[in-house]
Structure formats: C-alpha cells, structure tokens
Amino acid sequence: MVANLIKLRVIFFNVIFISAFSISAESKVSDSSVIDFLHKNVAKSTAILGSIIDSCEKKRLNADIVLLNAKQLKILKAKNNDVIVALTYISFNNSFKCEKSARVNLAYDLGLLASVKRQHQSNIKDINEIEDNLIYPSVKQIRLSIRYLKLPASLRKYIKGAVGDKPFDLIKTMKSNH
C-alpha cells in the first residue's frame, strides 16, 4: 500500500513536471512563429492543389469523347442550348469533384490561418481573395448550376449517365456532338 502511494506520488510529480515543461515550451513559441507555420501549411496545400489540378487536367484531356444518342435527345425534346448547359455543368462539376479533397484541405488551412489572424486583429483580406479564387465556385458557375437544375430531370439523368463522373474534354465532346 505504501509502495503504491509512493509510486502515485512519483507519477504525480512527473506529470506536474512534464506539464510545467510543456507549458514553458509552449510559451516560447511566438505568435509570428505560429503564423509562419500556418503560412507554410497554406503554401503546401496550395502546391498540392496545383498538382491535383494538373492531374485532373490530364484526366480531362485523356478522357474518351462521349457521343450522345441523337435519337434519345430527340425523344427527350432536348434543345441545343439545354444540352450545352448540361454538358458544361457536368464538365465543371466532374472537374471540381476531382479536385475537391485538395480544395477542402486548402480551405481548412486557410480557415485556420484566418482564425489565428482574426484573434490577433490582423487583416485577412488576402485569405479571402485566395478562397474566392481557388476554393469556391464563381457566381457564374453557381448560375450555371441553377440553370442545370432547371433542366428536365430526364435530360439531366440521360446526359449525366452518358458522360459519367470523371473529368472530360468539354470542347471535344461538344464538337463531336455538333
């Protein structure tokens, strides 16, 4: 019993010593070091996103051209403009999904940096600009999404099924489908 009490005291003092040491070590890290560290994470995530974008672009350029069935489009009473909207939206969406994990990681790193900067009353305008340009869809792309969702469900289902969920070359696909 006494031996257990002595062991408990030794463990208790070790925990206090380690805690005090870690608190002391933590206080030696400056705010600028934290921000520099977070900037490096953002730079790393940005480089990874660039690499993923390149990879998705290669997939897009090497994808087979999809030929839509003209008879099926006629049955669905699809207008040329509707097919263009659907193909454009699906192309954007497939590419966005291909890059999504890297975009999410960069968004997290940017959000963390913005949070720390806000805590120190620093300007986060540069972070907002990166988010607007690299992370989120543009207003034009959101409008395209709305136009796509207004198309008949049967047309969306047919074209999505024909094209699939991988990046594809929109221009070549449109040219091949007249």
Side-chain angles (χ1 to χ4, degrees):
M1 182 86 153
V2 174
N4 286 340
L5 186 58
I6 293 172
K7 285 181 185 177
L8 185 60
R9 284 183 183 163
V10 169
I11 291 171
F12 177 74
F13 285 116
N14 281 336
V15 168
I16 289 175
F17 175 75
I18 290 171
S19 296
F21 180 74
S22 66
I23 290 170
S24 172
E26 183 179 336
S27 66
K28 292 181 182 178
V29 176
S30 69
D31 291 343
S32 64
S33 294
V34 170
I35 290 175
D36 288 345
F37 174 78
L38 295 175
H39 273 286
K40 287 177 184 171
N41 286 349
V42 168
K44 192 182 325 178
S45 294
T46 303
I48 290 170
L49 175 59
S51 173
I52 295 293
I53 288 171
D54 287 345
S55 171
C56 294
E57 180 68 9
K58 287 177 185 168
K59 289 178 186 177
R60 184 184 73 77
L61 294 173
N62 293 325
D64 294 332
I65 296 171
V66 176
L67 292 174
L68 300 175
N69 184 323
K71 290 180 185 177
Q72 183 65 31
L73 291 173
K74 202 172 216 174
I75 291 169
L76 294 170
K77 299 177 184 172
K79 299 175 193 157
N80 281 344
N81 194 43
D82 293 345
V83 173
I84 291 169
V85 166
L87 287 172
T88 304
Y89 169 79
I90 294 168
S91 173
F92 161 74
N93 198 47
N94 289 0
S95 292
F96 191 81
K97 285 180 181 177
C98 184
E99 302 161 0
K100 187 176 180 178
S101 66
R103 289 178 186 269
V104 167
N105 290 337
L106 177 56
Y108 175 81
D109 288 339
L110 285 168
L112 184 57
L113 177 60
S115 175
V116 169
K117 282 187 155 192
R118 275 192 304 272
Q119 291 172 31
H120 291 91
Q121 284 96 30
S122 294
N123 185 358
I124 62 167
K125 185 179 179 185
D126 56 334
I127 295 171
N128 294 336
E129 289 174 5
I130 294 170
E131 289 174 334
D132 291 346
N133 293 313
L134 286 179
I135 304 298
Y136 303 113
S138 68
V139 172
K140 183 179 177 181
Q141 291 162 331
I142 294 169
R143 285 187 179 120
L144 177 64
S145 300
I146 293 168
R147 288 179 64 197
Y148 174 76
L149 292 172
K150 288 182 178 180
L151 295 176
S154 56
L155 178 61
R156 293 192 322 251
K157 182 179 178 181
Y158 168 69
I159 294 178
K160 180 68 176 160
V163 173
D165 60 356
K166 303 288 185 232
F168 65 94
D169 192 318
L170 177 63
I171 302 301
K172 287 181 184 176
T173 299
M174 284 189 182
K175 283 181 181 178
S176 296
N177 287 285
H178 307 293

